[in-house]
Amino acid sequence: MKRVRTIFVVVVTTAMVGATGILLFLAGTSGAAKDCTITGTAANDNITGTTRDDVICLRAGSDTANGLEGDDVIRGGQGDDGPDFTITASPSNFGGVGGILGGGGSDTIKGGADDDNLQGEGQNDKVTGGQGDDIALGNEGNDTVKTRDHVSGNDVAGGGANTDRCVVDASDLADGCER
């Protein structure tokens, strides 16, 4: 009887560990594909969001994206997203020129590893540049604009109207930042 009980315990324990491993594997992969509601390609893309809350994931290429309405999350990919600039002018001179645009909601926009033009547009946005020479503008709303990449003087941050917070490196151009 003792041998049967030992075999039963081993079989049940092995089954429980196996089931836990399967659950952990499924939990680790869940959300991987569904995080992005719209995904770019390796080519140069021009992506337009919807009126809902989108998660737009750009990939390689020189891309443009417009989130439109909704509280969107837009993630830049490899490549220069938006037009090329020599950063010498005030942030107020760069509005409306393309790149990654949040649209009408309270958006979260993150640049990629290269040179990006990021604009929050309406409402209260979080705009974060990546590595590279970035232009990050909050525009309307109470925005948080971050261009700190530990390279001094290569980025432009603009808060726009209302009360905005900018986090920049020394010598980066910053305008319209109240905090």
Side-chain angles (χ1 to χ4, degrees):
M1 182 69 173
K2 186 172 184 164
R3 180 173 168 89
V4 171
R5 187 177 326 147
T6 302
I7 292 172
F8 176 76
V9 169
V10 169
V11 169
V12 169
T13 304
T14 303
M16 289 173 54
V17 169
T20 303
I22 291 170
L23 289 175
L24 288 174
F25 171 76
L26 291 175
T29 59
S30 70
K34 68 180 181 180
D35 281 347
C36 301
T37 58
I38 301 172
T39 303
T41 67
N44 297 339
D45 298 313
N46 183 3
I47 295 178
T48 302
T50 68
T51 57
R52 293 183 237 158
D53 298 347
D54 299 311
V55 178
I56 299 174
C57 300
L58 304 175
R59 294 203 174 158
S62 181
D63 303 316
T64 62
N66 188 337
L68 296 179
E69 301 301 318
D71 297 339
D72 303 311
V73 174
I74 305 176
R75 301 176 189 144
Q78 292 180 335
D80 297 340
D81 298 323
D84 292 332
F85 290 107
T86 301
I87 300 177
T88 58
S90 166
S92 60
N93 294 335
F94 293 109
V97 293
I100 301 175
L101 309 175
S106 293
D107 305 306
T108 301
I109 301 170
K110 174 120 177 55
D114 296 303
D115 304 342
D116 301 314
N117 181 4
L118 315 168
Q119 299 185 46
E121 296 196 325
Q123 299 207 16
N124 304 326
D125 303 306
K126 294 178 183 174
V127 182
T128 304
Q131 297 296 316
D133 300 341
D134 298 315
I135 298 166
L137 307 176
N139 296 335
E140 300 171 14
N142 299 322
D143 306 306
T144 300
V145 179
K146 296 180 182 179
T147 60
R148 181 170 289 158
D149 59 2
H150 306 290
V151 178
S152 180
N154 69 322
D155 300 309
V156 173
N162 297 337
T163 304
D164 304 297
R165 178 176 182 254
C166 295
V167 180
V168 300
D169 291 312
S171 301
D172 283 352
L173 294 174
D175 185 40
C177 306
E178 289 76 29
R179 322 181 254 149

